[in-house]
Amino acid sequence: MVRLNRRLLPIKAHFFFFMAAMGPILPQLSVIGKQIGIPPDVMGYIMAVLPILYVLAKPLVGFLADYFKSLRKFIFMSLIVIMTLAYAGFYFLPSNSHAISLDEGSARWNVTVLQAPTECAQEVLSSPDYCQTVVSAECDGFQALIVAGLNLSQNLLHGNESHHMCSLHPDGGSPLGNLSCQLQHTDSCIYGSGRFWLYVCLLFIGTIGFNVTNSISDACCFDLLGEDEQDKYGAQRVWGTIGFGATALLAGILVDLWTADAVKSLTPALIIMAVFSLLDLFSVSKLKLPKLGGSESIAADVWQLVRQPPIVIFLVFATVAGIIDSFIIYFMFWHVEQVAEETGYMHQIKLIEGLVVAAECLAGEVPFFFYSGKIIKKLGYVHCMSMCFLFYALRLSLISWIPNPWYLVAVELFFQGITYALCYTCIVAYASAVAPPGTSATVQGLMAGMDDGLGFSIGSLIGGFMFKRLGGRESFKYFAIVAICTCVAHILVRPLSRKRQFLPKQVYQQPTEQPQDEAKHPPAQELQDMR
């Protein structure tokens, strides 16, 4: 008979409701930007700046949570409210029926010219009103801008909407009739668009709130577990995975039912987010956080921690894991929507995306979060990380290969758990193991800042650049090569443990008058031997 630990029930409820609130919205963040006409390289710039902000925010808020322990719950709840309100603001983004959808950044279409090309007025290039209705084109005999009316992405392709060209560099006369034009995005005025900056501001506030809250959640969970139950972290975190996968699938179904157009309405997803955020606030209000033994000098303890070579090496590979994760998180759905456009599955795309997230969470992450503690105990942090990078390489290769969007469901079902879930648990468990007493939230913020902070920033910048110039398939292939090279490097550079549980926080504890304690808590010399 399974016995319910009532002491841990509130943290389970928090993980479930918190991640259930995020399930409908987090996987769609970059796709929302795509819908309002943001090209992949610009999206990469946005996502590159964003993690830098929470690299700064996480340790800062973690420090406040460690220093003002009586305010931990207030900080917790405030972040959840701010995050929810920011993401709810996506409801007010203007719909983008003018956006032109171009596969792989450009496309060649046959265009019927209904008006003779005329000289382009300069304001066409700079007016925000034309930002999403104008694309540059290389046509037979001249370069031009194509300006169209409503629903251009659908009607231009099918010839159902009047449109005209204005010539930038005419090369002789250009007759009316059918022309073949190479179309490319015109990004010159996107930075002057009000909807663009509204999206960026809401994205920044919401995502910083989410990541900081997530980091504090991990620290609170480990504090509740205590040193004797650290390996039970995955069994708590798994409830977040269940909630995330369930609501992502529910939102995908409802969004497809709610709108049949190519541009989907977010209303059902935002309603689900709001409901579960309210439930999460209630669960956090019932969460009793333990009184921790404080550190007299948090900054000094953390500085002593990061001076250790094994910690520095671990931070470097955690950053690489973040680089890979960021590309998958921000560009996998972008890639799968391109595949859907090529193969005729756009009418099912939100259902497919919902099933992908459900497969990742319910079938992929759940078992690995449950058993991650036992896996780490058996293999050690080093071998677990090496294994994660190997399977990241396989996962990225298969994502680049998928012939239609439905194949992605199977790929994510088999590989999300052994890559993201195990790697994430390894990073946060290691952070908890090395944290000096009273600095758990600070160290969790530092580790997370390197993983989904600096790593996400670098991955987004490089990923957006590659996606714009190479397309989805080639970009995922190159990231697969990076993953396998990282796996080899990790095996060669970081042989710090050999199937042993590593408890490095004892480095900060001086030997007491009882030398027999050294058998349980290895001192600094044993740490040196593990290298």
Side-chain angles (χ1 to χ4, degrees), residues 13 18 59 87 90 94 109 151 157 171 176 179 210 258 292 328 332 348 436 444 453 475 479 495:
F18 175 62
Y87 283 145
F90 285 142
W109 286 345
N151 300 318
L157 184 59
D171 184 13
L176 297 178
L179 295 173
F210 165 75
W258 190 277
L292 306 175
I328 294 173
M332 183 178 71
Q348 298 176 326
Q444 287 290 348
S475 298
F479 267 85

Side-chain angles (χ1 to χ4, degrees), residues 124 127-135 186-193:
V124 170
S127 172
D129 295 334
Y130 288 99
C131 191
Q132 302 305 328
T133 60
V134 179
V135 290
T186 297
D187 303 332
S188 58
C189 64
I190 194 168
Y191 298 109
S193 168

Side-chain angles (χ1 to χ4, degrees), residues 32-77:
I32 294 170
K34 177 176 179 285
Q35 281 192 178
I36 66 172
I38 300 176
D41 56 339
V42 176
M43 182 61 68
Y45 303 150
I46 296 170
M47 296 303 184
V49 172
L50 176 57
I52 295 174
L53 298 180
Y54 52 79
V55 161
L56 302 175
K58 280 185 175 183
L60 175 61
V61 178
F63 178 87
L64 294 176
D66 282 331
Y67 193 81
F68 300 103
K69 292 180 175 59
S70 61
L71 297 178
R72 264 191 173 188
K73 187 178 293 186
F74 175 77
I75 295 171
F76 227 169
M77 299 178 73

Side-chain angles (χ1 to χ4, degrees), residues 57-366:
K58 280 185 175 183
L60 175 61
V61 178
F63 178 87
L64 294 176
D66 282 331
Y67 193 81
F68 300 103
K69 292 180 175 59
S70 61
L71 297 178
R72 264 191 173 188
K73 187 178 293 186
F74 175 77
I75 295 171
F76 227 169
M77 299 178 73
S78 298
L79 288 169
I80 293 169
V81 171
I82 293 170
M83 172 197 70
T84 303
L85 292 177
Y87 283 145
F90 285 142
Y91 178 81
F92 300 101
L93 282 176
S95 62
N96 190 42
S97 57
H98 297 350
I100 294 181
S101 176
L102 302 176
D103 294 338
E104 308 297 345
S106 64
R108 178 164 289 278
W109 286 345
N110 291 323
V111 177
T112 301
V113 182
L114 301 180
Q115 179 176 332
T118 57
E119 198 67 29
C120 285
Q122 185 61 35
E123 56 266 21
V124 170
L125 294 175
S126 58
S127 172
D129 295 334
Y130 288 99
C131 191
Q132 302 305 328
T133 60
V134 179
V135 290
S136 61
E138 289 283 345
C139 297
D140 296 346
F142 64 93
Q143 294 177 333
L145 292 178
I146 298 180
V147 186
L150 297 177
N151 300 318
L152 182 60
S153 59
Q154 300 297 319
N155 295 321
L156 183 60
L157 184 59
H158 296 100
N160 297 327
E161 181 73 30
S162 65
H163 51 276
H164 66 274
M165 292 183 176
C166 56
S167 176
L168 289 176
H169 301 290
D171 184 13
S174 299
L176 297 178
N178 293 322
L179 295 173
S180 179
C181 296
Q182 180 79 16
L183 274 60
Q184 295 182 332
H185 280 290
T186 297
D187 303 332
S188 58
C189 64
I190 194 168
Y191 298 109
S193 168
R195 86 178 72 181
F196 171 80
W197 289 110
L198 176 59
Y199 169 79
V200 170
C201 290
L202 295 175
L203 177 70
F204 277 25
I205 295 171
T207 307
I208 291 171
F210 165 75
N211 279 276
V212 175
T213 304
N214 202 35
S215 180
I216 295 179
S217 299
D218 288 335
C220 291
C221 180
F222 279 112
D223 291 341
L224 281 169
L225 291 171
E227 290 191 14
D228 295 334
E229 297 183 303
Q230 298 283 292
D231 59 336
K232 293 183 179 179
Y233 165 78
Q236 318 311 312
R237 181 64 175 76
V238 72
W239 291 99
T241 297
I242 293 171
F244 192 90
T247 56
L249 177 58
L250 176 62
I253 294 171
L254 293 179
V255 167
D256 266 346
L257 292 175
W258 190 277
T259 50
D261 300 333
V263 179
K264 302 292 185 178
S265 170
L266 286 173
T267 302
L270 296 178
I271 292 173
I272 294 172
M273 179 193 69
V275 170
F276 280 96
S277 290
L278 289 173
L279 292 172
D280 186 34
L281 288 172
F282 177 77
S283 70
V284 170
S285 70
K286 302 297 182 182
L287 190 62
K288 293 182 180 179
L289 300 179
K291 292 183 179 180
L292 306 175
S295 171
E296 294 181 359
S297 178
I298 295 174
D301 283 345
V302 173
W303 172 243
Q304 187 178 0
L305 175 74
V306 299
R307 291 175 59 191
Q308 299 293 324
I311 309 300
V312 175
I313 294 172
F314 189 87
L315 287 172
V316 170
F317 283 101
T319 302
V320 177
I323 292 172
I324 296 171
D325 273 332
S326 69
F327 184 69
I328 294 173
I329 289 171
Y330 294 136
F331 293 102
M332 183 178 71
F333 277 178
W334 201 309
H335 168 57
V336 81
E337 291 203 0
Q338 288 186 343
V339 175
E341 290 169 359
E342 295 169 0
T343 55
Y345 285 94
M346 278 303 293
H347 63 291
Q348 298 176 326
I349 190 60
K350 294 305 173 186
L351 170 62
I352 295 172
E353 289 172 353
L355 287 170
V356 166
V357 176
E360 289 177 339
C361 296
L362 302 180
E365 294 181 15
V366 166

Side-chain angles (χ1 to χ4, degrees), residues 383-434:
H383 298 315
C384 278
M385 287 289 284
S386 299
M387 184 173 65
C388 288
F389 286 123
L390 173 63
F391 282 100
Y392 266 124
L394 294 174
R395 179 184 178 188
L396 289 160
S397 299
L398 289 172
I399 292 173
S400 73
W401 160 81
I402 55 170
N404 72 59
W406 283 103
Y407 281 77
L408 187 62
V409 178
V411 172
E412 293 302 284
L413 185 149
F414 287 107
F415 287 97
Q416 173 76 355
I418 203 168
T419 54
Y420 171 77
L422 186 58
C423 187
Y424 180 88
T425 305
C426 192
I427 290 171
V428 297
Y430 188 87
S432 178
V434 301

